[in-house]
Amino acid sequence: MATFISKAPFRKKLIAAFMAVTLLSILITSYFSYSITSNILEENALKLTQDTVVKTAQTLDEKLSKLTVVMMTFMISQQFQSMLKDVSLGNHNQYYTHWTNLDNVFSQARIAEPLIQGIFVSTPMGEFYPLSMNRNRQAPFQDTDLYKRVASEKRTLWIEGHEDPLFYGKQRVVSLVLEPIADFPLKDVYVVVNIREDGLRRLAGTEEGNGGSRRFLMGAGGTLVCSETDPLVTEAAESALVQEVTREGLTGYTSVNKDGNTYLFNYARMHVNDWTILAIQSKDYVLKDMIYVKWMIVLITLASFLITLFVSGAFARYLLKPLQKLQRVMKRVESNDLTARFESLQEDDLAQVGFRFNRMLDQIVVLIDEVKGAEASKRNTEIKALSAQMDPHFLYNTLNVIYWKLKLKQVDQSQTMVVSLSRLFQLGLNKGKEITTLEKELEHVRLYLELQASCYENLFEYSILVKDPSLPALTVPRIILQPLVENSILHGFSSMESGGRISIELDSDPSAESWSIRVEDNGCGMEEEVVRAMLQNRQGKGYAIGNLIQRLQLYYGGKARLQVDSHPDRGTVIYMSIPMKGAETDV
């Protein structure tokens, strides 16, 4: 893939860049637009549903408050209070009279509030209920759950949806159980008001799928007020969130994840009793219209892609005209036509490149003429060739040792050698300049000795002594010390395993306007024939002394001297005298 891109024409790369930037911008804009829109729709759906839920809770509160008022009117009626007085006195004689009188009050209450299914009054004297309703005699009130709950909790009680145990028909009702208030003592007198469950469900809107929202009522005990068959509602009613909302009596809205789907929850606490009305709706249903937004984004992206493809092609052709002209000029220059020049009426960046190319051609023509007559180029070429011959000696040995140290897991030593070798190359290359300072040469030879000491562990030790502190500032040809110590290590210590010593001394001779280098080792020494061959650069063992002599002659002529004093088993001393001045160019 990278090769294909690198070989593609620049025009196609430019068009591809236009396309990539445009497409990326469209995708980023579309993504954030879709995200922001969906979040706004979700928030609006939650707020709208919350308003509906709160209004429904208010409607239920008003309805149930009205029902409570109706029952309070019922309980303060003369007929009801007369019956309570006889119950308090234990007077059973007027039982049927009271029952007949209360039937009219029962009817008035049911007319005032159609939500009432029936009213039942339990007293120690007997039971009272509308004459039109069929009492289930097999279910005494004291044996029902209604009595057990109101007897244990001793308060006005709302009981969630259940089958009516007091009357035949098994109607599902929601019951309100009251204890009447009187000015005389009463005991075990309860008023049960049965509300039709289906009527309460319709009032709460739980049978309507309003905008995908499903509403339901929960009691404070964490149970459904009305029976539900929708699996989504029944599962939601058992969730930890709904149980917490119901228990704490909260009002608000949130969103939850369930089985990979997101649902929006709204809830509002009622004030008449401890019920909470909740609404649940799928986020996917709320965002169903966003599918059109997705397709619009796709169509806009495709249309933008095609338009950009056409426009970018035209722009590329226009922008690359100067570059194509420059390319044609370069092809002529490649065919050795140095008279070719770039021409353009434009002054943009590409045209400026062409004009600079013209100036470069002019300079090349001048330089070619200068090079042909420059004798100094030959001298520099010879110097670089001689210097290049010395590099492989230490490079080969050092890299070989680093390799084996890495094989032996000696990572720290290998890392140190690599850093030293890198610095050694930096000093040796000297940014392409042939002249350096003696200070850098001393650092260069010190790094070289440290690397060789790592290569030949315990083989030798060395010392460097500079007697004249002004010497490091002198300018000298690069790599003049390394060949001297290289000779000692590779030849002088070739038959030794330890105990080698190398001493380097630098001193000045003001009277002769020169300075000297003295390198001494305690190696095996050399025969006279070997010394002669080394000085004449005729040996084939990789020594660089002969090359160094040639370089000194090129830089200093006959003013530089190099002497070698060596005898078998007596070590070697190399003495070199160099003038104070004479190598001050190209620093």
Side-chain angles (χ1 to χ4, degrees):
M1 183 65 180
T3 304
F4 174 77
I5 294 176
S6 63
K7 291 182 178 180
F10 184 74
R11 178 173 175 273
K12 292 186 177 179
K13 293 180 181 177
L14 189 60
I15 294 175
F18 274 123
M19 301 299 297
V21 171
T22 303
L23 189 61
L24 183 62
S25 300
I26 293 173
L27 291 177
I28 292 175
T29 304
S30 301
Y31 172 77
F32 282 105
S33 298
Y34 180 83
S35 299
I36 293 171
T37 303
S38 61
N39 290 335
I40 292 174
L41 286 177
E42 179 181 346
E43 186 70 17
N44 289 341
L46 283 170
K47 290 181 179 179
L48 180 61
T49 306
Q50 184 65 25
D51 291 341
T52 304
V53 170
V54 170
K55 289 179 180 178
T56 303
Q58 292 174 352
T59 301
L60 283 174
D61 278 333
E62 292 174 359
K63 193 68 173 178
L64 297 182
S65 296
K66 179 182 177 183
L67 187 145
T68 304
V69 171
V70 169
M71 293 311 303
M72 293 300 295
T73 303
F74 169 79
M75 287 188 292
I76 63 174
S77 65
Q78 180 181 355
Q79 296 89 335
F80 188 78
Q81 289 294 319
S82 176
M83 179 269 295
L84 290 180
K85 186 174 295 185
D86 285 344
V87 169
S88 174
L89 298 175
N91 183 10
H92 293 265
N93 296 329
Q94 300 295 321
Y95 173 76
Y96 290 103
T97 302
H98 292 312
W99 192 357
T100 302
N101 294 335
L102 284 175
D103 189 63
N104 184 44
V105 182
F106 286 142
S107 299
Q108 291 177 358
R110 294 176 65 184
I111 292 172
E113 181 49 68
L115 196 62
I116 297 175
Q117 168 74 18
I119 301 174
F120 176 84
V121 181
S122 174
T123 70
M125 186 172 64
E127 300 173 345
F128 299 91
Y129 50 87
L131 297 175
S132 59
M133 300 188 69
N134 295 323
R135 174 74 171 93
N136 182 9
R137 297 295 180 180
Q138 298 179 356
F141 176 70
Q142 285 73 15
D143 295 339
T144 64
D145 292 335
L146 301 177
Y147 178 78
K148 295 176 181 177
R149 289 187 59 179
V150 74
S152 61
E153 299 185 27
K154 296 294 184 180
R155 63 183 178 88
T156 300
L157 187 65
W158 289 90
I159 299 176
E160 296 81 3
H162 57 280
E163 287 187 359
D164 186 4
L166 301 175
F167 302 98
Y168 285 111
K170 296 184 177 180
Q171 297 288 331
R172 289 199 60 83
V173 295
V174 175
S175 299
L176 170 62
V177 183
L178 303 167
E179 288 184 313
I181 300 174
D183 296 333
F184 37 84
L186 288 173
K187 185 178 181 182
D188 289 336
V189 178
Y190 301 101
V191 179
V192 179
V193 184
N194 287 333
I195 303 170
R196 289 192 298 274
E197 186 185 77
D198 55 351
L200 183 63
R201 186 185 288 112
R202 284 192 299 271
L203 187 63
T206 60
E207 293 184 346
E208 300 176 2
N210 185 13
S213 175
R214 188 73 172 86
R215 293 198 292 270
F216 57 98
L217 281 167
M218 293 289 295
T223 58
L224 287 165
V225 174
C226 301
S227 60
E228 299 288 347
T229 58
D230 190 338
L232 178 62
V233 173
T234 55
E235 291 181 13
E238 298 174 356
S239 66
L241 172 64
V242 172
Q243 293 293 320
E244 179 183 2
V245 166
T246 304
R247 183 175 59 256
E248 300 295 333
L250 303 175
T251 297
Y253 56 86
T254 186
S255 60
V256 295
N257 293 318
K258 178 176 174 55
D259 300 330
N261 297 319
T262 302
Y263 294 94
L264 310 181
F265 266 105
N266 298 80
Y267 41 91
R269 184 72 165 186
M270 294 175 59
H271 300 293
V272 172
N273 50 26
D274 53 7
W275 292 350
T276 301
I277 183 167
L278 300 99
I280 181 173
Q281 56 186 329
S282 171
K283 182 179 178 180
D284 291 338
Y285 183 88
V286 173
L287 302 180
K288 64 179 181 179
D289 291 335
M290 289 298 292
I291 189 66
Y292 301 108
V293 177
K294 289 182 180 179
W295 281 111
M296 288 301 297
I297 290 174
V298 172
L299 292 176
I300 292 172
T301 302
L302 291 176
S304 301
F305 185 85
L306 295 176
I307 294 173
T308 304
L309 182 63
F310 174 77
V311 174
S312 60
F315 269 116
R317 285 191 296 272
Y318 173 75
L319 294 175
L320 294 179
K321 281 184 179 180
L323 192 59
Q324 292 171 349
K325 291 182 180 179
L326 181 60
Q327 187 178 21
R328 288 193 291 268
V329 172
M330 287 181 174
K331 287 182 179 179
R332 291 177 58 188
V333 174
E334 188 178 9
S335 302
N336 296 324
D337 182 6
L338 297 180
T339 62
R341 293 295 183 270
F342 174 79
E343 295 179 358
S344 177
L345 298 177
Q346 301 180 15
E347 297 183 359
D348 56 11
D349 293 343
L350 289 177
Q352 293 299 322
V353 171
F355 297 146
R356 286 184 175 84
F357 182 73
N358 290 343
R359 289 194 289 272
M360 183 186 68
L361 287 176
D362 295 337
Q363 293 176 1
I364 288 174
V365 172
V366 174
L367 289 175
I368 289 175
D369 294 337
E370 292 178 353
V371 168
K372 289 180 179 178
E375 184 64 25
S377 61
K378 178 180 177 181
R379 179 179 176 182
N380 290 335
T381 303
E382 291 176 352
I383 292 172
K384 292 181 180 179
L386 291 171
S387 298
Q389 296 180 29
M390 294 182 289
D391 294 340
H393 295 310
F394 62 88
L395 177 60
Y396 171 80
N397 293 333
T398 304
L399 291 177
N400 191 42
V401 171
I402 291 174
Y403 170 77
W404 284 107
K405 284 185 178 293
L406 287 174
K407 291 282 286 186
L408 296 174
K409 308 299 184 182
Q410 298 179 12
V411 177
D412 293 339
Q413 296 182 22
S414 301
Q415 290 176 340
T416 303
M417 291 183 70
V418 168
V419 173
S420 298
L421 184 61
S422 173
R423 177 59 179 164
L424 186 75
F425 281 159
Q426 184 182 14
L427 293 171
L429 294 174
N430 195 34
K431 299 181 179 178
K433 300 177 181 179
E434 294 299 329
I435 301 302
T436 185
T437 62
L438 184 56
E439 181 180 10
K440 292 182 179 179
E441 270 298 286
L442 289 172
E443 182 182 0
H444 183 270
V445 75
R446 185 178 294 108
L447 290 171
Y448 176 79
L449 289 170
E450 289 177 358
L451 286 170
Q452 292 291 31
S454 299
C455 295
Y456 305 100
E457 296 181 354
N458 302 320
L459 176 62
F460 68 93
E461 58 185 19
Y462 69 93
S463 64
I464 300 175
L465 176 62
V466 181
K467 294 183 178 180
D468 187 349
S470 65
L471 290 178
L474 291 176
T475 57
V476 296
R478 64 186 178 95
I479 314 179
I480 62 172
L481 292 178
Q482 176 191 331
L484 305 181
V485 297
E486 181 182 20
N487 179 73
S488 298
I489 296 172
L490 299 182
H491 180 73
F493 303 149
S494 61
S495 61
M496 299 173 60
E497 294 183 357
S498 62
R501 294 191 305 276
I502 298 176
S503 174
I504 303 175
E505 293 183 4
L506 286 81
D507 200 1
S508 62
D509 187 359
S511 62
E513 295 185 352
S514 65
W515 60 282
S516 62
I517 302 173
R518 186 176 186 275
V519 179
E520 181 180 2
D521 67 64
N522 64 342
C524 62
M526 294 178 287
E527 298 287 347
E528 184 178 352
E529 292 79 10
V530 176
V531 173
R532 189 180 301 113
M534 180 179 65
L535 295 176
Q536 297 176 1
N537 198 25
R538 291 188 287 105
Q539 79 291 351
K541 297 183 179 180
Y543 304 121
I545 299 298
N547 285 339
L548 177 59
I549 294 173
Q550 293 183 35
R551 294 176 61 215
L552 292 174
Q553 292 298 318
L554 287 171
Y555 281 104
Y556 302 105
K559 296 181 180 180
R561 294 183 297 111
L562 189 146
Q563 297 176 354
V564 179
D565 183 12
S566 181
H567 300 280
D569 301 324
R570 290 171 54 186
T572 300
V573 177
I574 299 178
Y575 179 84
M576 188 164 56
S577 176
I578 300 175
M580 286 286 187
K581 298 182 180 180
E584 299 179 353
T585 60
D586 196 30
V587 178

